[in-house]
Amino acid sequence: MDIITKYFPNLTEEQIAQFSKLKDLYKDWNLKINVVSRKDIDEIYLRHVLHSLGIAKVMKFQEGAHVLDVGTGGGFPGIPLAILFPETQFHLVDSIGKKIKVVDEVVLGLGLTNVKTTNDRVENVPGQYDFIVSRAVAQMETFVRWVRSHIKKKSTHELKNGLLYLKGGDLTEELAKFSSAQIYNLTSYYEEDFFETKKVVYLPMKYKG
């Protein structure tokens, strides 16, 4: 938990309490439904929570903004971001029902009121959002095809509406078709070795509705 306050020192008491509960909630639920690898549970704040919050180093979501987390798995990056931005509405989507069950229980355990969940493929989910976040669920070209109709036309943030995608490794080939993509290396914000190859890819998207 100390690693979270190290990089996010201005958390409220409620946010600190919520982040502090995360490990035990996941540890308990992971015994019933495995959503986080066994080895990662002990390093959940580094490998999952802080990694998810890398998006917050690039974007400060506004009050009333709507964010869609596609392929949320066990709730990453959506749940840590929902704790950090309590006035932003988050919609967490995953096609695997047992993962959404865990997300629902964690959301309930944390008392989060700004999160809703859907067990379905994103192509079947209605609605439009300011930003879409995700953690490497597909190649960029495939992911864009899935989500491009979900971007709101009107931008109200410093960055235009689009995708904020947590990716790793060499993205040169994958992003070759996306000239407007911007890459933010997480080593610019975090000093731990885990983040050496980790990035946030921001891709502004034109309205497709």
Side-chain angles (χ1 to χ4, degrees):
M1 179 58 207
D2 289 346
I3 202 170
I4 305 302
T5 53
K6 173 183 175 181
Y7 291 109
F8 295 90
N10 299 318
L11 299 174
T12 65
E13 287 185 14
E14 182 178 17
Q15 287 171 321
I16 290 171
Q18 288 171 325
F19 278 123
S20 296
K21 286 181 185 176
L22 272 181
K23 184 174 182 178
D24 285 343
L25 281 168
Y26 277 106
K27 206 166 188 177
D28 182 43
W29 272 100
N30 222 48
L31 294 173
K32 305 165 193 171
I33 301 171
N34 187 24
V35 293
V36 177
S37 72
R38 304 277 188 242
K39 66 177 183 179
D40 279 4
I41 278 289
D42 288 333
E43 292 192 86
I44 193 165
Y45 287 109
L46 172 70
R47 292 174 171 265
H48 293 280
V49 181
L50 194 61
H51 188 206
S52 297
L53 294 176
I55 289 173
K57 293 296 186 182
V58 175
M59 166 59 64
K60 302 290 185 284
F61 296 116
Q62 294 176 359
E63 181 177 342
H66 288 80
V67 178
L68 177 66
D69 177 4
V70 176
T72 190
F76 303 102
I79 286 178
L81 291 171
I83 294 173
L84 195 64
F85 299 103
E87 304 301 323
T88 297
Q89 301 301 311
F90 289 86
H91 187 180
L92 278 53
V93 174
D94 203 283
S95 61
I96 300 175
K98 65 181 183 180
K99 292 185 177 181
I100 288 295
K101 177 175 175 54
V102 173
V103 172
D104 286 337
E105 294 297 337
V106 172
V107 167
L108 186 65
L110 296 174
L112 292 173
T113 58
N114 61 330
V115 175
K116 74 173 184 176
T117 63
T118 298
N119 171 211
D120 206 340
R121 295 177 61 84
V122 67
E123 299 96 316
N124 302 325
V125 175
Q128 292 187 320
Y129 302 82
D130 298 285
F131 288 93
I132 294 172
V133 300
S134 191
R135 214 165 50 146
V137 298
Q139 289 281 88
M140 184 64 85
E141 190 171 2
T142 301
F143 191 71
V144 167
R145 190 170 67 248
W146 290 348
V147 304
R148 65 187 317 147
S149 65
H150 291 296
I151 298 293
K152 283 184 182 178
K153 184 175 185 179
K154 184 180 180 182
S155 295
T156 58
H157 291 71
E158 189 174 326
L159 295 179
K160 288 184 178 179
N161 293 355
L163 311 185
L164 292 161
Y165 207 11
L166 289 163
K167 299 281 277 184
D170 185 353
L171 303 176
T172 307
E173 186 176 340
E174 184 174 345
L175 297 179
K177 294 182 179 179
F178 301 98
S179 58
S180 59
Q182 298 174 36
I183 298 174
Y184 297 83
N185 294 306
L186 289 182
T187 49
S188 299
Y189 312 104
Y190 303 143
E191 62 185 14
E192 286 73 18
D193 290 344
F194 174 73
F195 297 105
E196 189 174 337
T197 62
K198 303 289 192 293
K199 304 167 178 71
V200 176
V201 179
Y202 163 61
L203 181 65
M205 291 190 67
K206 294 178 181 177
Y207 175 69
K208 295 279 183 184

